[in-house]
Amino acid sequence: MHLINVPSFKINEYLVPEFSIEKGKMLRFWVEIIPKNNSDTDGYLVQKLIQKQIVNNFTKHKELKMFSCPDKIKVGFFDFLNPMSVDDYLKNKIDLDETKVAQILSFFTIKPHYIIRKMGYKDQKIFSIISSIESNDVVLLDFYGFSPQNEKALTNYLLAKLKEGKALITFDNLYFKEKGSKNIFIEDINII
C-alpha cells in the first residue's frame, strides 16, 4: 500500500520522476552530478532541493512522521556543560532501551560512550541517520561522503529497518550506481 504518491517535478535542470513511498521499501535516487560552470546547479545542491520539495508535498499527510535527515545532530548549549553520549541520547531523546541501543550500534563502529559533539563527520552523519530513522516513519537521507565499508554497514542497517516497516528515500551519486533488490527500488535523476 502506498503511503503517498509524489507527482513528477522539476528542480532547475533536473527532472524528478513520479514515485510512491511504501512501508518496508526504500527508493534510491541516483543523482547525476556534473558541475559545469558557476551558473549551473550541481547534483549535491539539487538533492537538498529535491528533499525539501518532497517534504513540502508530504506535509498534507500529518498522520505520518517524515524527516529529512541532517548531516549531524544539533546539540544545545547545555551539551557543552554536560556532554551527551550516544547511549544517553538514544535512551533519553529517542526512548530506546539498552538492548535496542546495542542492537542498532552493532551495525557500526560507533560506541555507546562516544560523546556526540566530539565524533567525526562520518560517525555524526551515521548517528543522525540512526536517530532520524528510529524517530520517524519516512526518512530522507543521502549516502554522500561514505566509504564503501561505511555504505555497506549503513545499507545493512537500513535493510533491517525496512523489515520493521520503515519507508526510506535515499540519494547517491549516479556514477556509483548499484543494483536494486526486492525492497530497494532504483530511480535515476538526470539533467534534462
Side-chain angles (χ1 to χ4, degrees):
M1 182 178 109
H2 298 300
L3 296 174
I4 184 174
N5 293 311
V6 178
S8 178
F9 61 93
K10 188 177 174 193
I11 299 280
N12 298 336
E13 62 270 10
Y14 290 83
L15 179 64
V16 179
E18 178 181 350
F19 66 93
S20 25
I21 304 166
E22 299 180 35
K23 282 187 174 186
K25 305 290 182 194
M26 180 169 93
L27 177 59
R28 190 147 187 194
F29 283 115
W30 297 90
V31 183
E32 182 177 17
I33 298 175
I34 306 174
K36 297 179 199 169
N37 63 45
N38 291 340
S39 64
D40 288 331
T41 309
D42 69 25
Y44 298 107
L45 172 61
V46 84
Q47 173 260 325
K48 296 289 185 198
L49 296 172
I50 291 168
Q51 284 189 14
K52 184 176 180 181
Q53 180 70 33
I54 292 169
V55 170
N56 288 343
N57 286 344
F58 202 80
T59 55
K60 302 170 207 162
H61 303 273
K62 297 186 184 203
E63 69 277 6
L64 296 170
K65 291 179 4 183
M66 178 186 236
F67 191 72
S68 186
C69 188
D71 287 343
K72 66 181 190 172
I73 296 290
K74 291 183 179 161
V75 293
F77 171 76
F78 292 107
D79 188 64
F80 288 94
L81 302 173
N82 187 19
M84 189 172 284
S85 70
V86 166
D87 191 52
D88 291 338
Y89 190 92
L90 291 175
K91 287 179 181 174
N92 299 326
K93 300 275 186 186
I94 310 294
D95 198 29
L96 301 176
D97 63 34
E98 187 95 23
T99 305
K100 188 74 172 166
V101 170
Q103 178 190 13
I104 291 166
L105 295 181
S106 70
F107 287 94
F108 307 103
T109 58
I110 299 172
K111 303 296 180 210
H113 66 274
Y114 284 7
I115 301 300
I116 295 170
R117 68 179 168 83
K118 292 184 178 180
M119 292 191 302
Y121 175 79
K122 173 209 47 121
D123 287 343
Q124 288 233 2
K125 187 167 182 175
I126 287 172
F127 188 67
S128 176
I129 291 169
I130 291 168
S131 300
S132 299
I133 289 174
E134 296 300 327
S135 306
N136 297 281
D137 301 315
V138 182
V139 177
L140 289 82
L141 61 108
D142 69 72
F143 282 87
Y144 298 131
F146 290 124
S147 69
Q149 179 184 9
N150 290 322
E151 188 166 333
K152 183 177 180 183
L154 181 57
T155 300
N156 289 335
Y157 168 72
L158 296 177
L159 289 171
K161 295 290 112 182
L162 293 177
K163 288 179 184 173
E164 294 177 15
K166 296 292 183 174
L168 306 170
I169 301 172
T170 66
F171 297 85
D172 206 344
N173 187 335
L174 180 61
Y175 297 108
F176 301 108
K177 186 174 178 180
E178 298 171 0
K179 294 180 181 175
S181 70
K182 178 180 152 190
N183 293 326
I184 301 175
F185 299 92
I186 304 296
E187 287 286 349
D188 293 351
I189 299 178
N190 298 297
I191 296 174
I192 54 174

